[in-house]
Amino acid sequence: MTAGEVWRNWSGTVRCAPARTVRPRDVDEIVAAVKRAQRDGQRLRPRGAGHSVTPVAATGDTAVDLAGWTGVCAVHRDSAQVVVRAGTPLYQLNAELDRFGLALTNLGDIDTQTLAGALATGTHGTGLRYGGMPTQVRELEIVLADGTVTRCSATEDPELFAAARTSLGALGVITEVTLQCEPAFALEAREYAEPVEQVLDRLDEYIATNDHFEFYWFPHGRNAMVKRDNRLPANATPRPMHPVRHWLEFDVLENAALGAVCRTARLAPALTAPLNRLCSALVSRRHYSDRSYRVLTTRRAVRFLECEYAFPLAALREVFDELRAAVRNLPYGVMIPAEVRVAAEDDVWLSGAYGRTTAYLSVQQYAGLAHREYFELFESIAASAGGRPHWGKFHTLSVDAQTARYPRLGDFRAVRAKVDPTGLFDSPYLSHVIGPVVP
Ligand SMILES: Cc1cc2nc3c(=O)[nH]c(=O)nc-3n(C[C@H](O)[C@H](O)[C@H](O)COP(=O)(O)OP(=O)(O)OC[C@H]3O[C@@H](n4cnc5c(N)ncnc54)[C@H](O)[C@@H]3O)c2cc1C
């Protein structure tokens, strides 16, 4: 346990100095931290790898850092289910699963988040037939505010389960997660530049006919970068990218070179739009296949700010067209491309895809460049399409607006009031976005 440490999140947008930071090594130590915070009248925030842009993991009281509580603790081979400690980073989880011949069905863009952190904000990847990460959860173990260790699943305390799969850390400290995996599989990746008009014309076909489809839109360029990842048959031999080309593409171009271009834009903001246009013209063509998690996730060293909303899939085209038109009137350029993804409908109460087949649209800007008007524009477009903000990314909505967007937020708050009546896991930020605890 340490006092007075300063903690910063990945994007540098949040900084806090918890009165106490606890790094438990087992469930008993997590329970002890919870009971001690209760006794001392402190609030408590579990935290992951700090990859949320918002203060969702911040606290001035007790922080519980689960970096020492990692690893797969049980494997059920017949059901392809695994029990995983909550603080496990996704890169470690993917590697351990691979050793057992298993894989997660879908993943987001990166693998540096912790498992519990990714679940808590509804982290998702892309693919019309696949849900976000919380849909792969089958059971959770949680330490509640009174120090009780409880379990929930679709059959055991189903309300707590529906709430806790994406909880913003508001219900307790998740200690173990049972995940439904599947036999390890390989994906064939096709990534290339295509005129954005053409991508939009083929959008329905692309979404329907690829396992994982997404595209990046360069706001000032002619081309979009299309990514289509499809499962290889089990007996096919993957053809990974040559390591040197891999290094050139993903380390040099997507990180070092992009970083240099972004820093140039920060020094000379007037160059932002032309540089974004240049990036759109220089998109590489890649065709390779590899283990699923190596295709789905990449390294992101360039720090950016992000605002992402989930919409009904049917609204995607209209929202995208409005955004394109609006960006032309911005007083500055946008450096980082926007990202478009899709997901299957799910039943996780605070998921962006709850109850509807979903398109995600995420706007991004290099940290250090102006972004406020861009994000505000996007948020106003999102509002008219019933968009639900990502819990780990920038947005300005408070509880009243969230209640209109997330139809089960009221149910979530009722569960929360039951399991945490004194608001041990509350924080000023949570009170703002999901409301204070009302017992
Ligand atoms: C470069 C980058 C790429 C990203 N790509 C994607 C993407 O492709 N798709 C997507 O959807 N999102 C994406 N995100 C967002 C990211 O997945 C989420 O913000 C995620 O929550 C970060 O996980 P973390 O481990 O860093 O958690 P933190 O940000 O540290 O915490 C997030 C939340 O988890 C809670 N929490 C942590 N541990 C526990 C626990 N044990 N029990 C209960 N609650 C807990 C915290 O209290 C907090 O509310 C990206 C973010 C970045 C910076």
Side-chain angles (χ1 to χ4, degrees):
M1 188 191 74
T2 47
E5 276 180 20
V6 175
W7 177 83
R8 286 181 190 80
N9 67 344
W10 179 85
S11 53
T13 46
V14 179
R15 192 173 178 272
C16 66
R20 187 185 294 154
T21 301
V22 188
R23 295 189 169 80
R25 285 154 303 175
D26 58 32
V27 175
D28 288 345
E29 289 185 8
I30 297 171
V31 170
V34 165
K35 286 187 171 166
R36 179 161 177 199
Q38 270 293 17
R39 204 179 51 234
D40 295 352
Q42 287 208 344
R43 286 177 172 177
L44 182 148
R45 206 92 277 273
R47 78 177 181 221
H51 274 60
S52 299
V53 173
T54 60
V56 70
T59 182
D61 285 1
T62 297
V64 172
D65 180 337
L66 293 179
W69 180 238
T70 66
V72 172
C73 43
V75 179
H76 305 292
R77 287 188 185 273
D78 26 340
S79 59
Q81 292 187 358
V82 294
V83 183
V84 186
R85 296 187 186 104
T88 309
L90 297 180
Y91 60 82
Q92 179 184 337
L93 174 60
N94 290 331
E96 286 199 37
L97 290 180
D98 198 32
R99 284 199 285 279
F100 296 120
L102 296 171
L104 291 175
T105 301
N106 205 358
L107 285 159
D109 279 346
I110 56 160
D111 59 6
T112 39
Q113 313 96 316
T114 61
L115 175 59
L119 296 173
T121 62
T123 296
H124 63 90
T126 189
L128 191 61
R129 289 179 285 281
Y130 305 110
M133 293 198 65
T135 66
Q136 299 172 57
V137 176
R138 292 295 171 269
E139 192 173 71
L140 292 168
E141 183 187 83
I142 313 178
V143 177
L144 298 178
D146 61 0
T148 317
V149 182
T150 192
R151 300 189 83 84
C152 61
S153 67
T155 51
E156 189 180 351
D157 205 342
E159 298 237 306
L160 179 61
F161 186 62
R165 277 184 288 168
T166 290
S167 71
L168 288 78
L171 304 178
V173 182
I174 292 172
T175 49
E176 279 182 10
V177 181
T178 303
L179 288 169
Q180 181 65 57
C181 302
E182 55 178 297
F185 59 98
L187 288 170
E188 178 181 44
R190 288 176 192 276
E191 301 170 5
Y192 51 89
E194 185 172 348
V196 66
E197 297 300 341
Q198 203 169 299
V199 176
L200 294 171
D201 287 347
R202 299 181 68 182
L203 200 53
D204 293 345
E205 173 209 328
Y206 271 155
I207 290 172
T209 59
N210 291 285
D211 290 330
H212 306 276
F213 166 75
E214 67 184 296
F215 75 93
Y216 290 88
W217 169 59
F218 295 82
H220 309 285
R222 182 173 162 267
N223 287 332
M225 176 183 170
V226 172
K227 287 183 80 168
R228 298 195 281 134
D229 302 330
N230 286 291
R231 287 175 179 233
L232 280 184
N235 58 358
T237 310
R239 294 179 183 285
M241 201 180 271
H242 187 280
V244 175
R245 168 104 200 267
H246 191 279
W247 171 77
L248 265 176
E249 291 286 344
F250 294 103
D251 292 306
V252 177
L253 283 177
E254 282 200 359
N255 283 297
L258 178 64
V261 169
C262 288
R263 286 191 297 279
T264 308
R266 193 168 54 195
L267 286 173
L271 292 180
T272 305
L275 286 170
N276 177 269
R277 203 170 302 126
L278 179 72
C279 292
S280 135
L282 295 179
V283 169
S284 303
R285 174 172 284 272
R286 304 170 184 150
H287 182 196
Y288 62 99
S289 50
D290 209 334
R291 289 175 157 83
S292 55
Y293 62 94
R294 292 198 190 158
V295 171
L296 293 172
T297 63
T298 46
R299 193 168 77 82
R300 295 262 188 264
V302 176
R303 310 274 152 148
F304 55 83
L305 304 179
E306 188 172 3
C307 172
E308 182 177 57
Y309 274 77
F311 306 92
L313 178 60
L316 171 61
R317 185 62 205 263
E318 201 181 321
V319 170
F320 187 78
D321 286 346
E322 265 193 70
L323 179 68
R324 267 181 96 192
V327 161
R328 291 190 195 111
N329 300 324
L330 273 181
Y332 48 77
V334 175
M335 194 56 241
I336 306 282
E339 189 175 9
V340 177
R341 294 181 278 185
V342 293
E345 167 181 342
D346 68 43
D347 61 355
V348 178
W349 284 354
L350 295 193
S351 164
Y354 177 83
R356 62 194 198 191
T357 308
T358 289
Y360 290 94
L361 176 50
S362 152
V363 303
Q364 308 173 9
Q365 177 67 302
Y366 180 55
L369 285 177
H371 68 277
R372 191 184 304 263
E373 293 85 350
Y374 182 34
F375 287 9
E376 275 173 9
L377 260 177
F378 177 52
E379 285 207 277
S380 69
I381 295 168
S384 54
R388 299 174 184 158
H390 189 298
W391 298 108
K393 303 186 184 181
F394 179 85
H395 68 86
T396 56
L397 299 194
S398 59
V399 57
D400 293 341
Q402 298 284 21
T403 307
R405 313 286 177 93
Y406 281 93
R408 303 303 293 269
L409 183 54
D411 297 309
F412 180 92
R413 294 185 64 191
V415 168
R416 183 186 184 206
K418 207 162 100 190
V419 295
D420 183 19
T422 62
L424 177 75
F425 300 110
D426 200 5
S427 71
Y429 182 74
L430 288 198
S431 283
H432 177 66
V433 292
I434 58 172
V437 175
V438 184

